[in-house]
Amino acid sequence: MSDTTPARIITVAAAKGGVGKTTLAYELAAALSGVLVDLDWDAGGATRMWGHDPTRAARVPLLDALERGPEGRPPRPKRRANQPALVPAHPDLSASRIDADLVGDCLRAWAAAFEDPYLVVDTHPGANPLTDGAIQGADLVVVPVVLGAREMDALEAIVADYRDYRLLLVPTMVPAVPPRRFVERLAGLAEAGRITVAPPVSEHRWIRRRLRRAALVTQPNPGVRVRAAAAEFRAVADTVEVACG
Ligand SMILES: Nc1ncnc2c1ncn2[C@@H]1O[C@H](COP(=O)(O)OP(=O)(O)OP(=O)(O)O)[C@@H](O)[C@H]1O
Ligand SMILES: [Mg+2]
């Protein structure tokens, strides 16, 4: 165990899929020099983005560590230049019968054991024990928000469900002309002390076609458009730091 302050736990969660959770978690982990804990068992998540194929590994370090429990040895993050440190996911996580309390307790214990200042957790969309545990353990729950009518309705339900947690709402994939009524509706949800709205991340169509594994925020020699996107993710990371105190 280190004797420094425990890492802050930042859980990125949303009720819906495809809203930019993984992209945001990856960039935040890199920008905050944190460890990315991938609790999403779906292929195509942060673990693949990082360049790791968990099905080729003999063990499932994340499951092993969860089974050892909060008193046991934490998983060892994988480290590579220009990418966030990673505790990879595995398809077997979907069938695991690990309960939410255990997940929250393990994350807390790992946060105390790691030297890194942040533990950023990427989650599977919707309610499930791993996501619920990651929310229970979190110092801050980060929710990417797409500014559309249905998405805003879903967000209001989340805000009610997560009322016991500190929330950071991050407008994502925001078009060049942001839809004003949704921006106002989002601002209306902000509550002093408990709910903060981060600066927006724009719609960057090229992000969908990216194959590079370097995080945008740590990419060496970035071009103009990468630099612009990286600045937006860094601004969100700054808001996370402030929100965590
Ligand atoms: N700011 C952005 N602008 C444009 N496209 C984006 C942006 N952020 C993410 N995307 C793209 O949107 C798609 C979904 O993003 P991502 O995988 O991060 O979402 P997710 O919420 O983690 O999805 P899932 O629920 O499937 O895990 C990806 O193709 C990604 O490249
Ligand atoms: Mg994802």
Side-chain angles (χ1 to χ4, degrees):
M1 291 261 171
S2 72
D3 51 20
T4 51
T5 40
R8 302 285 189 180
I9 301 175
I10 312 298
T11 294
V12 182
K16 296 185 61 174
V19 295
K21 288 181 298 299
T22 298
T23 307
L24 182 61
Y26 202 85
E27 296 299 327
L28 286 180
L32 296 165
S33 305
V35 174
L36 180 59
V37 178
D38 187 4
L39 291 187
D40 189 359
W41 52 83
D42 274 351
T47 295
R48 285 299 177 111
M49 195 184 274
W50 199 90
H52 176 70
D53 179 356
T55 61
R56 297 173 72 98
R59 312 245 6 128
V60 186
L62 188 49
L63 265 184
D64 292 346
L66 287 167
E67 278 161 11
R68 286 194 293 272
E71 310 295 329
R73 181 166 44 83
R76 188 168 341 144
K78 302 171 82 64
R79 295 180 192 270
R80 245 189 224 163
N82 302 318
Q83 296 181 211
L86 175 78
V87 176
H90 190 281
D92 288 359
L93 284 171
S94 69
S96 68
R97 305 184 62 85
I98 288 169
D99 73 47
D101 289 344
L102 177 70
V103 174
D105 291 347
C106 283
L107 289 170
R108 287 254 157 235
W110 302 346
F114 290 160
E115 303 282 338
D116 313 75
Y118 288 91
L119 214 148
V120 178
V121 189
D122 190 21
T123 61
H124 190 76
N128 65 81
L130 293 174
T131 301
D132 296 349
I135 289 168
Q136 283 174 26
D139 293 295
L140 182 70
V141 180
V142 172
V143 182
V145 182
V146 174
L147 300 177
R150 264 197 246 136
E151 288 85 355
M152 295 295 296
D153 289 344
L155 177 65
E156 278 166 9
I158 288 185
V159 165
D161 283 353
Y162 296 176
R163 65 184 158 278
D164 295 333
Y165 302 95
R166 299 207 56 191
L167 296 188
L168 179 67
L169 309 179
V170 184
T172 34
M173 307 186 198
V174 177
V177 180
R180 216 168 95 199
R181 66 195 165 108
F182 297 134
V183 173
E184 283 167 5
R185 204 165 144 190
L186 189 61
L189 286 174
E191 276 173 28
R194 198 180 72 86
I195 305 179
T196 311
V197 179
V201 176
S202 306
E203 166 83 36
H204 299 287
R205 292 189 185 280
W206 52 270
I207 283 187
R208 293 177 193 271
R209 298 187 299 273
R210 258 185 106 232
L211 297 172
R212 296 176 96 157
R213 290 159 185 177
L216 297 167
V217 295
T218 51
Q219 196 166 302
N221 309 315
V224 176
R225 59 185 196 179
V226 169
R227 216 178 305 149
E232 293 181 345
F233 285 111
R234 263 199 225 96
V236 177
D238 291 346
T239 315
V240 167
E241 285 188 297
V242 172
C244 286

